[in-house]
PDB file of all heavy atoms in Angstrom:
ATOM      1  N   SER A 394      97.736 -29.043 365.621  1.00  0.00           N
ATOM      2  CA  SER A 394      99.109 -28.869 366.428  1.00  0.00           C
ATOM      3  C   SER A 394     100.295 -28.912 365.509  1.00  0.00           C
ATOM      4  O   SER A 394     101.367 -28.402 365.964  1.00  0.00           O
ATOM      5  CB  SER A 394      99.074 -29.913 367.453  1.00  0.00           C
ATOM      6  OG  SER A 394      99.106 -31.151 366.899  1.00  0.00           O
ATOM      7  N   TYR A 395     100.237 -29.502 364.267  1.00  0.00           N
ATOM      8  CA  TYR A 395     101.431 -29.494 363.516  1.00  0.00           C
ATOM      9  C   TYR A 395     101.022 -29.339 362.035  1.00  0.00           C
ATOM     10  O   TYR A 395     100.023 -29.839 361.455  1.00  0.00           O
ATOM     11  CB  TYR A 395     102.016 -30.858 363.633  1.00  0.00           C
ATOM     12  CG  TYR A 395     103.354 -31.278 362.806  1.00  0.00           C
ATOM     13  CD1 TYR A 395     104.602 -30.679 363.228  1.00  0.00           C
ATOM     14  CD2 TYR A 395     103.146 -31.726 361.524  1.00  0.00           C
ATOM     15  CE1 TYR A 395     105.608 -30.957 362.422  1.00  0.00           C
ATOM     16  CE2 TYR A 395     104.323 -31.995 360.813  1.00  0.00           C
ATOM     17  CZ  TYR A 395     105.540 -31.487 361.181  1.00  0.00           C
ATOM     18  OH  TYR A 395     106.784 -31.838 360.507  1.00  0.00           O
ATOM     19  N   GLY A 396     101.860 -28.430 361.353  1.00  0.00           N
ATOM     20  CA  GLY A 396     101.481 -28.312 359.899  1.00  0.00           C
ATOM     21  C   GLY A 396     100.354 -27.391 359.612  1.00  0.00           C
ATOM     22  O   GLY A 396      99.845 -26.646 360.524  1.00  0.00           O
ATOM     23  N   GLU A 397      99.898 -27.390 358.360  1.00  0.00           N
ATOM     24  CA  GLU A 397      98.893 -26.414 357.952  1.00  0.00           C
ATOM     25  C   GLU A 397      97.393 -26.892 358.366  1.00  0.00           C
ATOM     26  O   GLU A 397      97.143 -28.093 358.302  1.00  0.00           O
ATOM     27  CB  GLU A 397      98.994 -26.344 356.364  1.00  0.00           C
ATOM     28  CG  GLU A 397     100.133 -25.539 355.884  1.00  0.00           C
ATOM     29  CD  GLU A 397     101.287 -26.481 355.798  1.00  0.00           C
ATOM     30  OE1 GLU A 397     101.069 -27.717 355.930  1.00  0.00           O
ATOM     31  OE2 GLU A 397     102.419 -26.092 355.443  1.00  0.00           O
ATOM     32  N   ALA A 398      96.618 -25.946 358.674  1.00  0.00           N
ATOM     33  CA  ALA A 398      95.126 -26.146 358.582  1.00  0.00           C
ATOM     34  C   ALA A 398      94.709 -26.665 357.258  1.00  0.00           C
ATOM     35  O   ALA A 398      93.869 -27.724 357.259  1.00  0.00           O
ATOM     36  CB  ALA A 398      94.452 -25.037 358.982  1.00  0.00           C
ATOM     37  N   ILE A 399      95.160 -26.132 356.226  1.00  0.00           N
ATOM     38  CA  ILE A 399      94.903 -26.645 354.808  1.00  0.00           C
ATOM     39  C   ILE A 399      96.103 -26.573 353.998  1.00  0.00           C
ATOM     40  O   ILE A 399      96.775 -25.552 353.876  1.00  0.00           O
ATOM     41  CB  ILE A 399      93.773 -25.596 354.076  1.00  0.00           C
ATOM     42  CG1 ILE A 399      92.443 -25.679 354.883  1.00  0.00           C
ATOM     43  CG2 ILE A 399      93.627 -26.205 352.694  1.00  0.00           C
ATOM     44  CD1 ILE A 399      91.430 -24.789 354.373  1.00  0.00           C
ATOM     45  N   LEU A 400      96.433 -27.798 353.540  1.00  0.00           N
ATOM     46  CA  LEU A 400      97.571 -27.915 352.506  1.00  0.00           C
ATOM     47  C   LEU A 400      96.823 -28.177 351.154  1.00  0.00           C
ATOM     48  O   LEU A 400      96.299 -29.241 350.864  1.00  0.00           O
ATOM     49  CB  LEU A 400      98.346 -28.985 352.914  1.00  0.00           C
ATOM     50  CG  LEU A 400      99.602 -29.366 351.868  1.00  0.00           C
ATOM     51  CD1 LEU A 400     100.476 -28.223 351.735  1.00  0.00           C
ATOM     52  CD2 LEU A 400     100.386 -30.586 352.368  1.00  0.00           C
ATOM     53  N   ALA A 401      96.737 -27.054 350.389  1.00  0.00           N
ATOM     54  CA  ALA A 401      95.972 -27.090 349.120  1.00  0.00           C
ATOM     55  C   ALA A 401      96.928 -27.362 347.948  1.00  0.00           C
ATOM     56  O   ALA A 401      97.673 -26.540 347.567  1.00  0.00           O
ATOM     57  CB  ALA A 401      95.223 -25.818 349.007  1.00  0.00           C
ATOM     58  N   LEU A 402      97.050 -28.674 347.490  1.00  0.00           N
ATOM     59  CA  LEU A 402      97.937 -29.034 346.432  1.00  0.00           C
ATOM     60  C   LEU A 402      97.542 -28.776 345.139  1.00  0.00           C
ATOM     61  O   LEU A 402      98.366 -28.472 344.225  1.00  0.00           O
ATOM     62  CB  LEU A 402      98.382 -30.516 346.667  1.00  0.00           C
ATOM     63  CG  LEU A 402      99.164 -30.789 347.962  1.00  0.00           C
ATOM     64  CD1 LEU A 402      99.493 -32.296 347.866  1.00  0.00           C
ATOM     65  CD2 LEU A 402     100.404 -29.980 348.089  1.00  0.00           C
ATOM     66  N   SER A 403      96.235 -28.902 344.784  1.00  0.00           N
ATOM     67  CA  SER A 403      95.669 -28.592 343.529  1.00  0.00           C
ATOM     68  C   SER A 403      94.171 -28.457 343.599  1.00  0.00           C
ATOM     69  O   SER A 403      93.644 -28.544 344.601  1.00  0.00           O
ATOM     70  CB  SER A 403      96.041 -29.822 342.549  1.00  0.00           C
ATOM     71  OG  SER A 403      95.582 -31.112 343.032  1.00  0.00           O
ATOM     72  N   GLY A 404      93.662 -28.191 342.304  1.00  0.00           N
ATOM     73  CA  GLY A 404      92.087 -27.880 342.427  1.00  0.00           C
ATOM     74  C   GLY A 404      91.848 -26.454 342.948  1.00  0.00           C
ATOM     75  O   GLY A 404      92.652 -25.651 342.984  1.00  0.00           O
ATOM     76  N   ILE A 405      90.643 -26.276 343.344  1.00  0.00           N
ATOM     77  CA  ILE A 405      90.231 -24.903 343.832  1.00  0.00           C
ATOM     78  C   ILE A 405      89.811 -25.160 345.394  1.00  0.00           C
ATOM     79  O   ILE A 405      88.909 -26.020 345.563  1.00  0.00           O
ATOM     80  CB  ILE A 405      89.102 -24.472 343.061  1.00  0.00           C
ATOM     81  CG1 ILE A 405      89.475 -24.272 341.606  1.00  0.00           C
ATOM     82  CG2 ILE A 405      88.553 -23.013 343.584  1.00  0.00           C
ATOM     83  CD1 ILE A 405      88.308 -23.940 340.670  1.00  0.00           C
ATOM     84  N   THR A 406      90.341 -24.400 346.103  1.00  0.00           N
ATOM     85  CA  THR A 406      89.874 -24.421 347.559  1.00  0.00           C
ATOM     86  C   THR A 406      89.202 -23.033 347.796  1.00  0.00           C
ATOM     87  O   THR A 406      89.765 -21.918 347.646  1.00  0.00           O
ATOM     88  CB  THR A 406      91.207 -24.324 348.546  1.00  0.00           C
ATOM     89  OG1 THR A 406      91.954 -25.643 348.360  1.00  0.00           O
ATOM     90  CG2 THR A 406      90.832 -24.181 349.983  1.00  0.00           C
ATOM     91  N   THR A 407      87.946 -23.243 348.396  1.00  0.00           N
ATOM     92  CA  THR A 407      87.064 -22.037 348.567  1.00  0.00           C
ATOM     93  C   THR A 407      86.524 -21.964 350.003  1.00  0.00           C
ATOM     94  O   THR A 407      86.081 -22.954 350.536  1.00  0.00           O
ATOM     95  CB  THR A 407      85.952 -22.063 347.585  1.00  0.00           C
ATOM     96  OG1 THR A 407      86.362 -22.219 346.237  1.00  0.00           O
ATOM     97  CG2 THR A 407      85.033 -20.780 347.741  1.00  0.00           C
ATOM     98  N   LEU A 408      86.811 -20.874 350.645  1.00  0.00           N
ATOM     99  CA  LEU A 408      86.288 -20.663 352.063  1.00  0.00           C
ATOM    100  C   LEU A 408      85.191 -19.604 351.858  1.00  0.00           C
ATOM    101  O   LEU A 408      85.269 -18.420 351.364  1.00  0.00           O
ATOM    102  CB  LEU A 408      87.442 -20.033 352.850  1.00  0.00           C
ATOM    103  CG  LEU A 408      88.416 -20.956 353.486  1.00  0.00           C
ATOM    104  CD1 LEU A 408      89.301 -21.568 352.529  1.00  0.00           C
ATOM    105  CD2 LEU A 408      89.278 -20.138 354.485  1.00  0.00           C
TER     106      LEU A 408
END
Side-chain angles (χ1 to χ4, degrees):
S394 61
Y395 179 85
E397 293 81 10
I399 298 174
L400 178 56
L402 293 183
S403 58
I405 301 172
T406 293
T407 306
L408 279 65

